[in-house]
Amino acid sequence: MTRPAPIRTLRPRRKPLRRRGYALLVALALLALGMGAAVVMLKTSDLSVRSTTRDDLKRRADGAAQSAVELGIDVIRRRSWSGVNWEFAGSWLDGAAFRVRYLPGDASLTSGSADYAYYPYRVTIEATATVSDPSEPAAVTTSVATAVVELMPKKLQGALSGYGDRNDYAYYQLDRFNSTGEVRLEPPFQFVGTTRFNDQITDWCADYFNDDARRQPYLSGLRTMAQAGTERRPFVGSVEYRLISQPSKLRTDVTSRLGQTEVNVTPDLEWAMPSASTSTYQLYPGGPVYAMPSFNATYGSNPQNLAVASDPISNPLGLFRMSSSVTFKNDVKVAGMLMASDSSVSLNVDGSRCSIEPPKAMNLNSRTLELSLPALCVTNDFNIRAASDDLVIRGAVICWDEFLVEGGSAWQDVLIEGGLQSHQAWIKGRSDFKLSNGQWSAALMVYNATDKLIPFPVWLETMYGLPSEPSIKIRKDVTGATAKHVFDPSQALYDYPDATSGLTWRVVRMTPPS
């Protein structure tokens, strides 16, 4: 009998231990990934919260800066505004703090800018706002907003006591207390505008036209020329004086021969002498204070080949003090104003091609730079020497003693546009007209023998080369906008419009918070 095969007991096979290790690693890795994702989600959530907080702080800071700059615009329009280079601070109800500063000028303007001349009339308002996070007080968010405003002048400084409106006068004689002003006038010259004499005219046509036989055809001829459209008369406009004080010769010539209107006036007695004893000036209350340099110290007392210019940033009116008398030689051109610093200062012109022309200031109630200011204010004399020529002054000339034009050539060009005011005036005769008595007699005899189809002045020009057009011309202001009186540097040029209002400003531009 066959024995059955022995039954073999099968043992289960044992898995490698390393497989269970892999599973553990996978489980741990999944756990780590889950935890990492949770951390990332937490961090992302925190960053989102922080970003939202920063955005909110930035919005608050921007809003605070915008509100602060608008407040700054409101404050500058108040009479209580303290001026440029001043600042004030405060805070809003939401806790945002702010600071507002007033800076003179407009940093965006350069010498090449079209509006560069407006620099002195502008103020930059800078508002800075700060907001902090309550959870992190050290973290501060800052925002800055700016605005540029420009002055709109409404009123000029008040006139000096006893000093009136001289705008419409070509010549105005200042009548000083206890001092008689002498006026001596020899044609050819020309005052264009109203002429005012407060004292008796000492000499009128006392040189080569003293003979009535010469003066009558000459002056009547000038009137005939004017009626034909060629104006060469010495007075172009009415003549004001006290009738009983003037020589009858003058009155006859003014009315009958020249055909002008005489006006009887009572002499104005005044003594108003502003000087540049102060060394600074302002354009408006609270505005920048500008230095008035000494002309003598800067350019000397006998300048020549010199060009002096104003500077919108440092000296917008081009105002210079004359600390002692000055004599212009050739080619002196001043784009500014000259003012004496004491009672003994004079200006002499003893050269050719000289000029004084102050920059135009901003006109009232209008954004136009056309306000004319005086060009020259001297407390003693203004002398134009015989050798000088081609002198141009565009702006009023005021001298508290004598204006003198020496006896130069009939082609000695002198032009003053803006009017002349002086206590005394002497325009001497032109050397070319000083013919001998024999020559004048011969000229009259020949002219009277003609048919007189041309006026005597034209005939003299044709036969003797004596120009009928005067080369010495003094005109009233022709710009249509002028300061009514001499500028007093101890006051701001522009004043508040009334007793309670502040200055008026227009907003040029606003820069959003950043």
Side-chain angles (χ1 to χ4, degrees), residues 292-373:
M292 293 170 52
S294 167
F295 188 90
N296 307 73
T298 308
Y299 303 109
S301 297
N302 295 278
Q304 61 180 339
N305 300 319
L306 173 68
V308 178
S310 60
D311 186 329
I313 296 177
S314 63
N315 191 359
L317 296 183
L319 198 53
F320 291 89
R321 293 178 295 117
M322 293 191 298
S323 52
S324 61
S325 295
V326 174
T327 299
F328 284 3
K329 299 299 183 179
N330 291 334
D331 299 295
V332 177
K333 303 184 184 303
V334 177
M337 303 168 60
L338 297 180
M339 297 193 72
S341 60
D342 61 49
S343 60
S344 61
V345 174
S346 299
L347 176 65
N348 308 298
V349 179
D350 195 18
S352 298
R353 299 172 302 280
C354 295
S355 65
I356 305 175
E357 183 172 1
K360 296 291 190 298
M362 191 180 289
N363 197 15
L364 300 182
N365 302 307
S366 171
R367 191 179 179 267
T368 54
L369 295 172
E370 60 180 18
L371 183 70
S372 294
L373 296 170

Coordinates of all heavy atoms in Angstrom, one line a residue, residues 292-373:
M292 N 16.8 145.6 -2.1 CA 17.0 146.7 -3.1 C 18.5 147.0 -3.2 O 19.1 147.7 -2.3 CB 16.3 148.0 -2.7 CG 14.8 147.8 -2.8 SD 13.9 149.2 -2.1 CE 14.7 150.6 -2.9
P293 N 19.2 146.4 -4.1 CA 20.7 146.6 -4.1 C 21.1 148.1 -4.4 O 20.3 148.8 -5.0 CB 21.1 145.7 -5.3 CG 20.0 144.8 -5.6 CD 18.8 145.6 -5.2
S294 N 22.2 148.4 -3.9 CA 22.8 149.8 -4.1 C 23.3 149.8 -5.6 O 24.2 149.0 -5.9 CB 23.9 150.1 -3.1 OG 24.6 151.2 -3.6
F295 N 22.8 150.7 -6.4 CA 23.3 150.8 -7.8 C 24.8 151.2 -7.8 O 25.6 150.6 -8.5 CB 22.5 151.8 -8.5 CG 22.8 151.9 -10.0 CD1 22.1 151.1 -10.9 CD2 23.8 152.7 -10.5 CE1 22.4 151.1 -12.3 CE2 24.1 152.7 -11.9 CZ 23.4 151.9 -12.7
N296 N 25.2 152.1 -6.9 CA 26.6 152.6 -6.9 C 27.5 151.4 -6.5 O 28.6 151.2 -7.1 CB 26.7 153.7 -5.9 CG 25.7 154.8 -6.2 OD1 24.5 154.7 -5.9 ND2 26.2 156.0 -6.8
A297 N 27.1 150.7 -5.4 CA 28.0 149.6 -5.0 C 28.1 148.5 -6.0 O 29.1 147.8 -6.1 CB 27.5 149.1 -3.6
T298 N 27.0 148.3 -6.7 CA 27.0 147.2 -7.7 C 27.6 147.5 -9.0 O 28.4 146.7 -9.6 CB 25.6 146.7 -7.9 OG1 24.9 146.4 -6.6 CG2 25.5 145.4 -8.7
Y299 N 27.3 148.7 -9.5 CA 27.7 149.1 -10.9 C 28.6 150.3 -11.0 O 29.1 150.7 -12.0 CB 26.5 149.3 -11.7 CG 25.6 148.1 -11.8 CD1 24.3 148.1 -11.1 CD2 25.9 146.9 -12.4 CE1 23.5 147.0 -11.1 CE2 25.1 145.8 -12.4 CZ 23.9 145.9 -11.8 OH 23.0 144.8 -11.8
G300 N 28.8 151.0 -9.8 CA 29.7 152.2 -9.8 C 28.8 153.4 -10.1 O 27.7 153.4 -10.5
S301 N 29.5 154.6 -9.9 CA 28.8 155.9 -10.1 C 28.9 156.5 -11.5 O 28.3 157.5 -11.8 CB 29.3 156.8 -9.0 OG 29.0 156.4 -7.7
N302 N 29.8 155.9 -12.3 CA 30.0 156.3 -13.7 C 29.9 155.2 -14.7 O 30.9 154.9 -15.4 CB 31.3 157.1 -13.8 CG 31.4 158.3 -13.0 OD1 30.9 159.4 -13.4 ND2 32.0 158.2 -11.8
P303 N 28.8 154.5 -14.7 CA 28.8 153.2 -15.6 C 28.8 153.5 -17.0 O 28.3 154.6 -17.5 CB 27.4 152.6 -15.1 CG 26.6 153.8 -14.7 CD 27.5 154.8 -14.1
Q304 N 29.2 152.6 -17.8 CA 29.1 152.6 -19.3 C 29.2 151.2 -19.8 O 29.6 150.3 -19.1 CB 30.3 153.4 -19.9 CG 31.7 152.9 -19.6 CD 32.7 153.8 -20.3 OE1 32.5 154.5 -21.2 NE2 33.9 153.7 -19.8
N305 N 28.6 151.0 -21.0 CA 28.5 149.6 -21.6 C 27.9 148.7 -20.5 O 28.5 147.6 -20.3 CB 29.9 149.2 -22.1 CG 30.5 150.1 -23.1 OD1 29.8 150.5 -24.0 ND2 31.8 150.4 -23.0
L306 N 26.8 149.0 -20.0 CA 26.2 148.2 -18.9 C 24.8 147.9 -19.2 O 24.0 148.7 -19.7 CB 26.3 149.1 -17.6 CG 25.6 148.5 -16.4 CD1 26.3 147.2 -15.9 CD2 25.5 149.5 -15.3
A307 N 24.4 146.7 -19.0 CA 23.0 146.2 -19.1 C 22.5 145.7 -17.7 O 23.1 144.7 -17.2 CB 22.8 145.2 -20.2
V308 N 21.6 146.3 -17.1 CA 21.0 145.9 -15.8 C 19.6 145.4 -16.0 O 18.8 146.0 -16.6 CB 21.0 147.1 -14.9 CG1 20.4 146.7 -13.5 CG2 22.4 147.7 -14.7
A309 N 19.4 144.2 -15.6 CA 18.1 143.5 -15.8 C 17.4 143.2 -14.5 O 18.1 142.9 -13.4 CB 18.3 142.2 -16.6
S310 N 16.1 143.1 -14.5 CA 15.4 142.7 -13.3 C 15.4 141.2 -13.3 O 15.8 140.5 -14.2 CB 13.9 143.2 -13.4 OG 13.3 142.7 -14.6
D311 N 15.0 140.6 -12.1 CA 15.0 139.2 -11.9 C 13.7 138.8 -11.3 O 13.4 139.2 -10.1 CB 16.2 138.7 -11.1 CG 16.3 137.2 -11.0 OD1 15.3 136.5 -11.0 OD2 17.4 136.7 -10.8
P312 N 12.8 138.0 -12.0 CA 11.5 137.7 -11.4 C 11.6 137.0 -10.0 O 10.7 137.0 -9.2 CB 10.9 136.7 -12.4 CG 11.5 137.1 -13.7 CD 12.9 137.5 -13.3
I313 N 12.7 136.3 -9.7 CA 12.9 135.6 -8.5 C 13.4 136.5 -7.4 O 12.9 136.5 -6.2 CB 13.8 134.4 -8.6 CG1 13.1 133.4 -9.6 CG2 14.0 133.7 -7.3 CD1 13.9 132.2 -9.9
S314 N 14.5 137.3 -7.6 CA 15.2 138.0 -6.6 C 14.9 139.5 -6.6 O 15.0 140.2 -5.5 CB 16.7 137.8 -6.7 OG 17.2 138.4 -7.9
N315 N 14.5 140.1 -7.7 CA 14.2 141.5 -7.8 C 13.2 141.8 -8.9 O 13.6 142.3 -10.0 CB 15.5 142.3 -8.0 CG 15.4 143.8 -7.8 OD1 14.3 144.3 -7.6 ND2 16.5 144.5 -8.0
P316 N 12.0 141.4 -8.8 CA 11.0 141.5 -9.9 C 10.8 142.9 -10.5 O 10.5 143.0 -11.6 CB 9.7 140.9 -9.3 CG 9.9 141.0 -7.8 CD 11.3 140.9 -7.6
L317 N 10.9 143.9 -9.6 CA 10.7 145.3 -10.2 C 12.0 145.9 -10.6 O 12.0 147.0 -11.1 CB 10.1 146.2 -9.1 CG 8.7 145.8 -8.6 CD1 8.2 146.8 -7.6 CD2 7.7 145.7 -9.8
G318 N 13.1 145.2 -10.5 CA 14.4 145.8 -10.9 C 14.7 147.0 -10.1 O 15.2 148.0 -10.7
L319 N 14.4 147.1 -8.8 CA 14.5 148.3 -8.0 C 15.9 148.4 -7.4 O 16.4 147.5 -6.8 CB 13.5 148.3 -6.9 CG 13.1 149.5 -6.2 CD1 12.7 150.6 -7.2 CD2 12.0 149.3 -5.2
F320 N 16.6 149.6 -7.7 CA 17.9 149.8 -7.2 C 17.9 151.2 -6.5 O 17.3 152.2 -6.9 CB 18.9 149.9 -8.4 CG 19.1 148.5 -9.0 CD1 18.4 148.1 -10.1 CD2 20.1 147.7 -8.5 CE1 18.6 146.8 -10.7 CE2 20.3 146.4 -9.1 CZ 19.6 146.0 -10.2
R321 N 18.7 151.2 -5.4 CA 18.9 152.5 -4.7 C 20.2 153.2 -5.2 O 21.2 152.6 -5.5 CB 19.1 152.2 -3.2 CG 17.9 151.6 -2.5 CD 18.3 151.3 -1.0 NE 19.2 150.3 -0.9 CZ 20.5 150.4 -0.4 NH1 20.9 151.6 0.1 NH2 21.3 149.4 -0.3
M322 N 20.0 154.5 -5.4 CA 21.2 155.3 -5.7 C 21.7 155.9 -4.4 O 21.0 156.9 -3.9 CB 20.9 156.3 -6.8 CG 20.6 155.8 -8.2 SD 20.5 157.0 -9.5 CE 19.1 158.0 -8.9
S323 N 22.7 155.5 -3.9 CA 23.2 156.0 -2.6 C 24.0 157.3 -2.7 O 24.2 158.0 -1.8 CB 24.1 154.9 -1.9 OG 25.1 154.5 -2.8
S324 N 24.4 157.6 -4.0 CA 25.0 158.9 -4.3 C 24.7 159.2 -5.8 O 24.2 158.3 -6.5 CB 26.5 158.9 -4.0 OG 27.2 157.9 -4.8
S325 N 25.1 160.3 -6.2 CA 24.8 160.7 -7.6 C 25.5 159.8 -8.6 O 26.6 159.3 -8.4 CB 25.2 162.2 -7.8 OG 24.5 163.0 -7.0
V326 N 24.8 159.6 -9.7 CA 25.2 158.7 -10.8 C 25.3 159.4 -12.1 O 24.4 160.2 -12.4 CB 24.3 157.4 -10.9 CG1 24.7 156.6 -12.1 CG2 24.3 156.6 -9.6
T327 N 26.3 159.1 -12.9 CA 26.4 159.7 -14.2 C 26.5 158.6 -15.2 O 27.5 157.8 -15.2 CB 27.7 160.6 -14.3 OG1 27.5 161.7 -13.4 CG2 27.8 161.2 -15.8
F328 N 25.5 158.5 -16.1 CA 25.5 157.5 -17.2 C 26.5 158.0 -18.3 O 26.4 159.1 -18.8 CB 24.2 157.3 -17.8 CG 23.2 156.5 -17.0 CD1 23.6 156.0 -15.7 CD2 21.9 156.2 -17.4 CE1 22.7 155.3 -15.0 CE2 21.0 155.5 -16.7 CZ 21.4 155.0 -15.4
K329 N 27.4 157.1 -18.7 CA 28.2 157.3 -19.9 C 27.5 156.6 -21.1 O 26.3 156.4 -21.0 CB 29.6 156.8 -19.7 CG 30.3 157.5 -18.5 CD 30.5 159.0 -18.8 CE 31.3 159.7 -17.7 NZ 31.4 161.2 -18.0
N330 N 28.2 156.1 -22.0 CA 27.6 155.5 -23.2 C 27.0 154.1 -22.9 O 27.6 153.4 -22.1 CB 28.6 155.4 -24.4 CG 29.0 156.7 -24.9 OD1 28.2 157.7 -24.9 ND2 30.2 156.8 -25.5
D331 N 25.9 153.8 -23.6 CA 25.3 152.5 -23.6 C 25.0 151.9 -22.2 O 25.5 150.8 -21.9 CB 26.3 151.5 -24.4 CG 26.5 151.9 -25.8 OD1 25.5 151.9 -26.6 OD2 27.6 152.3 -26.2
V332 N 24.3 152.6 -21.4 CA 23.8 152.1 -20.1 C 22.3 151.9 -20.3 O 21.5 152.8 -20.6 CB 24.1 153.1 -19.0 CG1 23.5 152.6 -17.7 CG2 25.5 153.4 -18.9
K333 N 21.9 150.6 -20.1 CA 20.5 150.2 -20.3 C 20.1 149.5 -19.0 O 20.6 148.5 -18.6 CB 20.4 149.3 -21.5 CG 20.9 150.0 -22.8 CD 20.7 149.1 -24.0 CE 21.3 149.7 -25.2 NZ 20.7 151.1 -25.5
V334 N 19.1 150.2 -18.4 CA 18.5 149.7 -17.1 C 17.1 149.2 -17.3 O 16.2 149.9 -17.7 CB 18.6 150.7 -16.0 CG1 18.0 150.2 -14.7 CG2 20.0 151.2 -15.7
A335 N 16.9 147.9 -17.1 CA 15.5 147.3 -17.1 C 15.1 147.3 -15.6 O 15.0 146.2 -15.0 CB 15.5 145.9 -17.7
G336 N 14.7 148.4 -15.1 CA 14.3 148.5 -13.7 C 14.0 149.9 -13.3 O 13.8 150.8 -14.1
M337 N 14.0 150.2 -12.0 CA 13.7 151.5 -11.4 C 14.9 152.0 -10.6 O 15.5 151.2 -9.9 CB 12.4 151.4 -10.5 CG 11.2 150.8 -11.2 SD 9.9 150.4 -9.9 CE 9.6 152.0 -9.2
L338 N 15.1 153.2 -10.7 CA 16.2 153.9 -9.9 C 15.6 154.8 -8.9 O 14.8 155.7 -9.3 CB 17.2 154.6 -10.8 CG 18.0 153.7 -11.8 CD1 18.9 154.6 -12.7 CD2 18.8 152.7 -11.1
M339 N 15.9 154.7 -7.7 CA 15.4 155.6 -6.6 C 16.5 156.1 -5.8 O 17.5 155.4 -5.4 CB 14.4 154.8 -5.8 CG 13.2 154.4 -6.5 SD 11.8 153.8 -5.4 CE 11.3 155.4 -4.7
A340 N 16.5 157.4 -5.5 CA 17.5 158.0 -4.6 C 17.3 157.6 -3.2 O 16.2 157.3 -2.7 CB 17.4 159.6 -4.7
S341 N 18.4 157.5 -2.4 CA 18.3 157.1 -1.1 C 18.4 158.3 -0.1 O 18.1 158.1 1.1 CB 19.5 156.1 -0.7 OG 20.7 156.7 -1.0
D342 N 18.7 159.5 -0.6 CA 18.7 160.7 0.3 C 18.5 161.9 -0.5 O 18.4 161.9 -1.8 CB 20.0 160.8 1.2 CG 21.2 160.9 0.4 OD1 21.3 161.8 -0.5 OD2 22.2 160.2 0.6
S343 N 18.5 163.1 0.1 CA 18.0 164.3 -0.5 C 19.1 165.0 -1.4 O 18.8 166.0 -2.0 CB 17.6 165.3 0.5 OG 18.7 165.6 1.4
S344 N 20.2 164.4 -1.6 CA 21.3 165.1 -2.4 C 21.7 164.3 -3.6 O 22.7 164.5 -4.2 CB 22.5 165.3 -1.5 OG 23.0 164.1 -1.0
V345 N 20.9 163.3 -4.0 CA 21.2 162.4 -5.1 C 20.6 162.9 -6.4 O 19.5 163.2 -6.5 CB 20.8 161.0 -4.8 CG1 21.0 160.1 -5.9 CG2 21.5 160.4 -3.5
S346 N 21.5 162.9 -7.4 CA 21.1 163.3 -8.8 C 21.4 162.2 -9.8 O 22.3 161.4 -9.5 CB 21.7 164.6 -9.2 OG 21.4 165.7 -8.3
L347 N 20.8 162.3 -10.9 CA 21.2 161.4 -12.0 C 21.6 162.3 -13.2 O 20.8 163.3 -13.6 CB 20.1 160.5 -12.5 CG 20.4 159.7 -13.7 CD1 21.5 158.7 -13.5 CD2 19.1 158.9 -14.2
N348 N 22.7 162.1 -13.8 CA 23.2 162.8 -15.0 C 23.4 161.8 -16.1 O 23.9 160.7 -15.9 CB 24.6 163.5 -14.7 CG 24.5 164.3 -13.4 OD1 23.8 165.3 -13.3 ND2 25.3 163.9 -12.4
V349 N 23.0 162.3 -17.3 CA 23.2 161.5 -18.5 C 24.2 162.2 -19.4 O 23.9 163.3 -19.8 CB 21.9 161.2 -19.3 CG1 22.2 160.4 -20.5 CG2 20.9 160.5 -18.4
D350 N 25.4 161.6 -19.5 CA 26.4 162.3 -20.3 C 27.0 161.3 -21.3 O 28.2 161.2 -21.6 CB 27.5 162.7 -19.3 CG 28.5 163.7 -20.0 OD1 28.1 164.3 -21.0 OD2 29.6 163.9 -19.4
G351 N 26.1 160.6 -21.9 CA 26.5 159.6 -23.0 C 25.3 159.3 -23.9 O 24.2 159.8 -23.7
S352 N 25.6 158.5 -24.9 CA 24.6 158.2 -25.9 C 24.1 156.7 -25.7 O 24.7 155.9 -25.0 CB 25.2 158.3 -27.3 OG 25.6 159.7 -27.5
R353 N 22.9 156.5 -26.3 CA 22.2 155.2 -26.3 C 22.0 154.7 -24.9 O 22.3 153.5 -24.6 CB 23.1 154.2 -27.1 CG 23.2 154.6 -28.6 CD 24.2 153.7 -29.3 NE 25.6 153.7 -28.6 CZ 26.5 154.7 -28.8 NH1 26.2 155.7 -29.6 NH2 27.6 154.6 -28.2
C354 N 21.4 155.5 -24.0 CA 21.1 155.1 -22.7 C 19.6 154.9 -22.5 O 18.8 155.6 -23.3 CB 21.6 156.1 -21.6 SG 23.4 156.2 -21.6
S355 N 19.1 154.1 -21.6 CA 17.7 153.9 -21.5 C 17.4 153.4 -20.1 O 18.2 152.7 -19.4 CB 17.2 152.9 -22.5 OG 17.7 151.6 -22.3
I356 N 16.2 153.7 -19.6 CA 15.6 153.1 -18.4 C 14.2 152.7 -18.7 O 13.4 153.5 -19.1 CB 15.6 154.2 -17.2 CG1 17.0 154.8 -17.0 CG2 15.1 153.5 -15.9 CD1 17.0 155.9 -16.0
E357 N 13.9 151.4 -18.4 CA 12.6 150.9 -18.6 C 12.3 149.9 -17.6 O 12.8 148.8 -17.7 CB 12.5 150.3 -20.0 CG 11.1 149.8 -20.4 CD 10.9 149.4 -21.8 OE1 11.9 149.5 -22.6 OE2 9.8 149.0 -22.2
P358 N 11.4 150.2 -16.6 CA 11.1 149.2 -15.6 C 10.2 148.1 -16.1 O 9.4 148.4 -17.1 CB 10.4 150.1 -14.5 CG 9.8 151.2 -15.3 CD 10.8 151.5 -16.4
P359 N 10.3 146.9 -15.6 CA 9.3 145.9 -16.0 C 7.9 146.2 -15.7 O 7.7 146.9 -14.7 CB 9.8 144.7 -15.2 CG 10.5 145.2 -14.0 CD 11.1 146.5 -14.5
K360 N 7.0 145.8 -16.4 CA 5.6 146.1 -16.2 C 5.1 145.2 -15.0 O 5.4 144.0 -15.0 CB 4.7 145.8 -17.4 CG 5.0 146.7 -18.6 CD 4.6 148.2 -18.3 CE 4.7 149.0 -19.5 NZ 6.0 149.2 -20.1
A361 N 4.3 145.7 -14.1 CA 3.7 145.0 -13.0 C 2.3 144.5 -13.4 O 1.8 144.9 -14.5 CB 3.7 145.8 -11.8
M362 N 1.8 143.6 -12.6 CA 0.4 143.1 -13.0 C -0.6 144.2 -12.8 O -0.7 144.8 -11.7 CB 0.1 141.8 -12.1 CG -1.1 141.1 -12.6 SD -1.6 139.6 -11.7 CE -0.2 138.5 -12.2
N363 N -1.5 144.3 -13.7 CA -2.5 145.3 -13.7 C -3.6 144.9 -12.7 O -3.8 143.7 -12.4 CB -3.1 145.5 -15.1 CG -3.9 146.8 -15.2 OD1 -3.7 147.7 -14.3 ND2 -4.7 147.0 -16.2
L364 N -4.4 145.8 -12.3 CA -5.5 145.5 -11.4 C -6.6 144.8 -12.1 O -7.0 145.2 -13.2 CB -6.0 146.8 -10.7 CG -5.0 147.6 -9.9 CD1 -5.7 148.8 -9.2 CD2 -4.3 146.7 -8.8
N365 N -7.2 143.8 -11.4 CA -8.4 143.1 -11.9 C -8.2 142.5 -13.3 O -9.1 142.3 -14.1 CB -9.6 144.1 -12.0 CG -9.9 144.7 -10.6 OD1 -10.1 143.9 -9.7 ND2 -10.0 146.0 -10.6
S366 N -6.9 142.2 -13.6 CA -6.7 141.6 -15.0 C -5.3 140.9 -14.9 O -4.4 141.4 -14.3 CB -6.6 142.8 -16.0 OG -6.1 142.3 -17.2
R367 N -5.3 139.8 -15.5 CA -4.0 139.0 -15.6 C -3.2 139.5 -16.8 O -2.9 138.7 -17.7 CB -4.3 137.5 -15.7 CG -3.1 136.7 -15.4 CD -3.4 135.2 -15.5 NE -2.1 134.4 -15.3 CZ -1.3 134.0 -16.3 NH1 -1.7 134.3 -17.6 NH2 -0.2 133.3 -16.0
T368 N -2.8 140.7 -16.7 CA -1.9 141.3 -17.7 C -0.8 142.1 -17.1 O -1.0 142.8 -16.1 CB -2.7 142.3 -18.6 OG1 -3.4 143.3 -17.8 CG2 -3.8 141.6 -19.4
L369 N 0.4 141.9 -17.6 CA 1.6 142.6 -17.1 C 1.7 143.9 -17.9 O 2.5 144.0 -18.8 CB 2.8 141.7 -17.2 CG 2.8 140.5 -16.4 CD1 4.0 139.6 -16.7 CD2 2.8 140.8 -14.9
E370 N 0.9 144.9 -17.5 CA 1.0 146.2 -18.3 C 0.9 147.4 -17.4 O 0.8 148.5 -17.8 CB -0.2 146.2 -19.2 CG -1.6 146.2 -18.6 CD -2.7 146.2 -19.6 OE1 -2.5 146.0 -20.8 OE2 -3.8 146.5 -19.2
L371 N 1.0 147.2 -16.0 CA 1.0 148.3 -15.1 C 2.4 149.0 -15.1 O 3.4 148.5 -14.8 CB 0.7 147.9 -13.7 CG 0.6 148.9 -12.6 CD1 -0.7 149.8 -12.9 CD2 0.6 148.4 -11.2
S372 N 2.3 150.3 -15.6 CA 3.6 151.1 -15.7 C 3.9 151.7 -14.3 O 3.1 152.2 -13.6 CB 3.4 152.2 -16.7 OG 3.2 151.7 -18.0
L373 N 5.2 151.6 -14.0 CA 5.7 152.1 -12.7 C 6.7 153.2 -13.0 O 7.3 153.3 -14.2 CB 6.3 151.0 -11.9 CG 5.4 150.0 -11.4 CD1 6.1 148.8 -10.8 CD2 4.4 150.5 -10.4

